Amino acid sequence: FQMFCLALVTGMFLFLGSCDDDDDESQSSNTFLEKNAGKSWVETRDYETIYLRLNNNTNNFLDIWYSYEGDNCYYDDDIYEGGTVKIIENSSDKLIVEVVYQGGKDILTFSLQGDKLKVVVDETYDGETDQYILYFDSASINLDNLNMCDS
């Protein structure tokens, strides 16, 4: 009977241990878009509010809405319009995107820094290079219900 109990307990530890390992592997192998799909983010400045939502879709990975101070509505921004967008890296801890448009190119690097979404924008336009770093807070608003401005 003791051997049976020992075998049962050992088997349970092996089974539970292998389940935990599988969970860790699957979580660590998820891409940035898989792990953050559907999450909404907001950055508020003195003159505008910007909302982002990440999608687990390499053809439409980002939705953007913005509103200027005093507006009671939001505009949607389409980074896919007028240029080419290419995902360079979609690893577990960051997303790097290249946006090429007439006269320039942006490299956008998305990563999580604590509970914030960090977006580093390396912009090259007409031979000039600038870098901007934006920090977005988690947003609990339903972005599908935003009051949209007339275009």
Side-chain angles (χ1 to χ4, degrees):
F1 180 74
Q2 289 177 337
M3 290 301 286
F4 173 75
C5 289
L6 181 60
L8 182 62
V9 170
T10 303
M12 286 176 52
F13 281 120
L14 290 174
F15 176 74
L16 291 175
S18 68
C19 287
D20 289 343
D21 290 345
D22 289 346
D23 288 345
D24 290 342
E25 278 183 32
S26 67
Q27 287 179 0
S28 67
S29 66
N30 287 345
T31 66
F32 190 82
L33 288 177
E34 287 172 336
K35 291 194 300 188
N36 295 288
K39 292 184 180 176
S40 301
W41 305 90
V42 61
E43 185 200 38
T44 303
R45 303 176 189 180
D46 291 338
Y47 57 92
E48 74 180 336
T49 299
I50 303 169
Y51 285 105
L52 303 179
R53 179 173 54 206
L54 296 167
N55 303 306
N56 187 21
N57 179 338
T58 56
N59 295 318
N60 183 24
F61 65 90
L62 182 65
D63 295 319
I64 305 171
W65 297 269
Y66 63 94
S67 179
Y68 295 110
E69 181 181 16
D71 286 346
N72 293 323
C73 56
Y74 288 84
Y75 300 93
D76 60 344
D77 192 5
D78 187 358
I79 68 168
Y80 312 97
E81 186 178 308
T84 58
V85 178
K86 180 172 128 183
I87 294 178
I88 297 172
E89 180 180 334
N90 185 15
S91 62
S92 65
D93 62 343
K94 67 181 163 185
L95 173 69
I96 301 175
V97 178
E98 178 183 69
V99 182
V100 179
Y101 49 90
Q102 187 174 0
K105 169 175 88 169
D106 293 344
I107 301 292
L108 309 172
T109 303
F110 298 81
S111 61
L112 293 179
Q113 191 165 48
D115 60 349
K116 294 187 181 288
L117 177 67
K118 178 181 179 182
V119 181
V120 178
V121 180
D122 290 302
E123 178 183 68
T124 303
Y125 187 75
D126 286 339
E128 301 281 327
T129 301
D130 287 309
Q131 185 179 74
Y132 309 95
I133 300 175
L134 308 169
Y135 293 94
F136 290 82
D137 294 311
S138 180
S140 58
I141 187 171
N142 183 345
L143 297 175
D144 293 322
N145 291 333
L146 291 176
N147 180 32
M148 300 305 293
C149 301
D150 295 330
S151 298

